[in-house]
Amino acid sequence: MKTHIDHDLVSTFGLLMEAYHSLEKQLGAALEEQVGVPHTWFEVMLRISRAAEGLAPMGSLADQVALTGGGVTRMVDRMVAAGLVERVPCASDRRVVYAGLTPEGRAVLDKAVSVHDDNLRRTLGDFTDRELVALDELLRRLRSARLPA
């Protein structure tokens, strides 16, 4: 008989969290060691580089990297001080501030993408192409899942 702590979906979610934390710890440490930037900075720089015209609104960055507005502001402050990111005011709305990569930030991101890609290939090397496609699909579905109202 299953107890309240033996539910399959609770275990599935636990496995997902364990996998995430394990990968974050290993890949984040490797990125910091090999490139000199924390994984969270890499994620922010990646989001900025993918934004329209390479400028990401600060509010959308907070949503994308699961930080509060204040948390992303403090992180961007540190990235500005490191010369990787710059703040760019919106020409049409003074309330909006964008984050953009500096030339140094672009160079660091290019190196970080190469290093991270290599580390991911080594980490996920046992997965077949078919398994990776299936994983991507499942993660996209999971990302958009919502609790019913």
Side-chain angles (χ1 to χ4, degrees), residues 19-99:
Y20 167 77
H21 288 291
S22 175
L23 289 170
E24 171 67 23
K25 185 176 180 180
Q26 293 174 63
L27 294 168
L31 194 60
E32 189 147 8
E33 180 183 308
Q34 295 171 311
V35 183
V37 295
H39 188 246
T40 52
W41 287 25
F42 169 71
E43 285 295 328
V44 168
M45 291 189 299
L46 195 59
R47 307 293 175 164
I48 293 169
S49 73
R50 291 178 174 168
E53 300 179 34
L55 296 172
M58 294 288 287
S60 72
L61 281 177
D63 292 338
Q64 292 175 18
V65 296
L67 289 173
T68 63
V72 83
T73 296
R74 286 186 295 278
M75 181 187 301
V76 169
D77 285 345
R78 291 188 299 273
M79 295 171 77
V80 166
L84 303 175
V85 172
E86 62 185 347
R87 284 191 171 78
V88 179
C90 177
S92 61
D93 187 343
R94 293 184 307 160
R95 296 170 295 174
V96 176
V97 176
Y98 297 101

